[in-house]
Amino acid sequence: ELSTAEASSVVPICLKAGEFFVFHSRVIHGSAINASAAPRLGLGLRYCSNQTKIISPEPACVQIIGADSKGLNKIHDAPTEE
């Protein structure tokens, strides 16, 4: 349940099939039920510098550019086309 102040600041974003939008992970967000037969997909990404140690039981780090000069995290290979 949103407060009156929160409800007054809601901004609807209407997207067509195949479109997407990007927002900060701390933004409160939601959507109506998916009434189509197609799945709705989501993808969460985070950027960290090579000086950041990821504290997690099994971090999933994929290096996009540069080198892991600090060796702080286990770097996974980037996915390839299947």
Side-chain angles (χ1 to χ4, degrees):
E1 189 73 27
L2 295 176
S3 70
T4 304
E6 291 169 326
S8 68
S9 65
V10 169
V11 178
I13 300 175
C14 299
L15 303 173
K16 297 175 186 167
E19 292 183 328
F20 70 96
F21 66 100
V22 178
F23 57 91
H24 193 280
S25 61
R26 292 188 178 178
V27 169
I28 297 173
H29 60 281
S31 61
I33 190 167
N34 181 9
S36 77
R40 182 180 289 160
L41 304 176
L43 174 65
L45 302 172
R46 294 182 187 179
Y47 166 81
C48 297
S49 75
N50 68 345
Q51 298 178 19
T52 303
K53 171 70 176 163
I54 307 300
I55 300 173
S56 174
E58 192 172 328
C61 298
V62 175
Q63 190 161 323
I64 303 300
I65 192 169
D68 179 23
S69 60
K70 303 289 182 185
L72 297 175
N73 299 294
K74 179 180 178 184
I75 306 296
H76 296 271
D77 292 332
T80 59
E81 261 187 71
E82 293 184 18

